[in-house]
Amino acid sequence: QGKFTLLRDTRTDGSFLVHHFLSFYLRAGCKVCFVALLQSFSHYSIVAQKLGVSLAAAKERGQLVFLEGLKSCLDLLFGEEEQPGQPSPLQFLSGGSCDLRALFDFVRVSLSATAGDSWKGPVLLVDDLSVLLSLGAAPVAVLDFIHYCRVCVCCQLKGNVVVLVHSNEDSEDEENELVVNSLCHHSDLILWAEGLATGFCKDVHGQIKIIKRLSLRQAEQDLVQVYQYKIQDRNVTFFARGLSAAVL
């Protein structure tokens, strides 16, 4: 409880980590607010079904609050309100405000405990934060949003925050790299998925670096573990470097 986990991917697609955490927290009985900026609800629902979780059922029973970013953007751009009288969480797109206060309010209200709630702990899941920068949000606004979410969800509600960001060390996108580096400094745990430097391999899809930030609270060195992985239809296989089926 109270942890901020950063999912970072470089030269590969780290969305398999998002699907894992979404199904994991729903099965654990947690209240989940999923800010999905990258894909549609049907996409996440199909993958979740393969993992044995029904997103539609979770929404109906109030366990999952799903923000479909693609639909919200279209509604704003074409002047349609999702619910009349209520501001869109992505209100900054309309030019009225440059901050992400409306998005934070959506998260806060979604995860605040209500009478009769029996869910274990609140969880905020964001896929993916880099999209906010592409939509025109300033890096400072994005970092402020995450800061307030950490204070609200991790500190006040004793829940967890899981955020995916794309990064490329050779990229000229300075704003994105600024956000990624800032988030790395504040994370309790970093799961960094990277593509293989040698290129594509059918038996090894990439490597994942697990960084436990011990230095965040103690005067110790961070613990770093590196594994390689292969994504299968319903799960992911992890193994030590050089111990894939292709080698053995």
Side-chain angles (χ1 to χ4, degrees):
Q1 290 183 336
K3 300 295 184 185
F4 176 60
T5 302
L6 180 67
L7 312 178
R8 180 178 180 182
D9 62 18
T10 304
R11 301 188 309 276
T12 190
D13 183 7
S15 58
F16 69 94
L17 293 169
V18 174
H19 297 301
H20 160 73
F21 278 101
L22 178 60
S23 59
F24 171 78
Y25 282 121
L26 289 176
R27 276 199 296 264
C30 298
K31 176 74 175 283
V32 178
C33 176
F34 187 15
V35 179
L37 303 170
L38 203 59
Q39 301 283 357
S40 64
F41 177 79
S42 59
H43 170 84
Y44 294 105
S45 182
I46 290 169
V47 178
Q49 276 186 326
K50 289 185 177 182
L51 300 176
V53 175
S54 171
L55 297 192
K59 277 183 73 175
E60 283 180 17
R61 61 177 177 260
Q63 184 184 8
L64 173 66
V65 180
F66 190 92
L67 172 62
E68 192 166 359
L70 296 173
K71 184 176 182 299
S72 296
C73 288
L74 288 174
D75 290 340
L76 264 174
L77 292 173
F78 292 104
E80 298 178 16
E81 289 189 47
E82 294 173 353
Q83 294 181 359
Q86 290 190 2
S88 167
L90 301 179
Q91 196 67 41
F92 74 96
L93 283 172
S94 63
S97 171
C98 60
D99 59 38
L100 300 174
R101 186 174 302 177
L103 184 58
F104 168 70
D105 287 339
F106 171 82
V107 171
R108 180 178 52 79
V109 171
S110 299
L111 293 178
S112 295
T114 55
D117 265 358
S118 58
W119 309 117
K120 289 185 179 175
V123 175
L124 169 63
L125 184 59
V126 182
D127 180 28
D128 100 61
L129 199 67
S130 305
V131 174
L132 290 175
L133 294 172
S134 302
L135 292 174
V140 172
V142 174
L143 291 173
D144 282 349
F145 165 69
I146 292 298
H147 171 72
Y148 281 105
C149 286
R150 285 178 58 221
V151 171
C152 176
V153 180
C154 296
C155 299
Q156 296 176 354
L157 301 177
K158 303 301 180 187
N160 296 302
V161 176
V162 181
V163 173
L164 173 71
V165 289
H166 293 300
S167 72
N168 189 347
E169 291 161 329
D170 301 326
S171 171
E172 295 182 1
D173 189 347
E174 296 178 0
E175 291 188 344
N176 188 72
E177 294 309 303
L178 172 66
V179 170
V180 172
N181 291 331
S182 298
L183 293 179
C184 285
H185 286 298
H186 295 98
S187 304
D188 296 286
L189 175 67
I190 302 172
L191 301 180
W192 188 354
E194 298 176 281
L196 296 175
T198 52
F200 174 77
C201 174
K202 68 174 184 177
D203 292 298
V204 183
H205 292 156
Q207 76 171 19
I208 185 165
K209 194 179 293 181
I210 304 170
I211 306 171
K212 295 180 181 177
R213 300 291 316 287
L214 301 178
S215 60
L216 203 62
R217 291 183 173 84
Q218 309 163 23
E220 294 184 33
Q221 219 172 3
D222 292 342
L223 180 63
V224 181
Q225 297 170 293
V226 181
Y227 297 95
Q228 291 180 334
Y229 64 86
K230 179 181 180 181
I231 300 175
Q232 295 163 319
D233 193 39
R234 295 176 186 272
N235 61 5
V236 182
T237 304
F238 295 92
F239 40 84
R241 286 182 288 186
L243 296 182
S244 71
V247 176
L248 300 177

